[in-house]
């Protein structure tokens, strides 16, 4: 007996695993990712709370999506790591 067909669980354009970075200043981090890695903010993805803090934003770097949101005052630092494949690591580092 075969299993019934399942609906896709990964939205179109996303990978099976999507990094989510908690940052004290996600807007500044988005600007850095745009300048350093040609990231593109996904239009309409930025959501703010009543205080103006970013509660969600997404950028696309190459074929990958990275999600970000602002940490709250009093939260401990939350390091984030991701591996980015580039054609020329030295040029990417200089940029």
């Amino acid at each position: 007996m075969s299993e019934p067909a399942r609906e896709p669980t990964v939205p179109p354009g996303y990978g099976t695993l999507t990094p989510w970075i908690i940052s004290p200043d996600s807007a500044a981090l988005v600007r850095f990712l745009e300048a350093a890695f040609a990231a593109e903010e996904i239009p309409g993805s930025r959501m703010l709370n009543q205080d103006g803090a970013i509660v969600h934003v997404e950028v696309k770097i190459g074929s990958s999506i990275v999600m970000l949101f602002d940490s709250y005052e009093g939260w401990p630092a939350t390091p984030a790591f991701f591996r980015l494949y580039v054609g020329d690591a030295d040029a990417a580092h200089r940029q």
Side-chain angles (χ1 to χ4, degrees):
M1 185 184 239
S2 64
E3 288 190 34
R6 294 181 185 233
E7 291 294 316
T9 57
V10 180
Y14 291 79
T16 304
L17 178 71
T18 301
W20 205 354
I21 300 173
I22 303 168
S23 168
D25 188 346
S26 295
L29 182 52
V30 167
R31 288 191 300 274
F32 169 77
L33 295 171
E34 289 171 337
F37 306 117
E40 296 176 3
E41 184 171 332
I42 296 176
S45 71
R46 188 177 290 218
M47 294 177 230
L48 308 175
N49 69 11
Q50 295 171 349
D51 298 328
I54 294 175
V55 295
H56 185 82
V57 65
E58 298 177 10
V59 297
K60 188 165 190 172
I61 303 173
S63 62
S64 299
I65 292 176
V66 178
M67 298 179 178
L68 305 95
F69 74 94
D70 288 341
S71 61
Y72 288 91
E73 189 174 326
W75 281 14
T78 50
F81 302 92
F82 61 91
R83 179 166 291 191
L84 176 64
Y85 295 97
V86 297
D88 184 337
D90 291 329
H93 182 264
R94 284 190 301 273
Q95 185 174 342

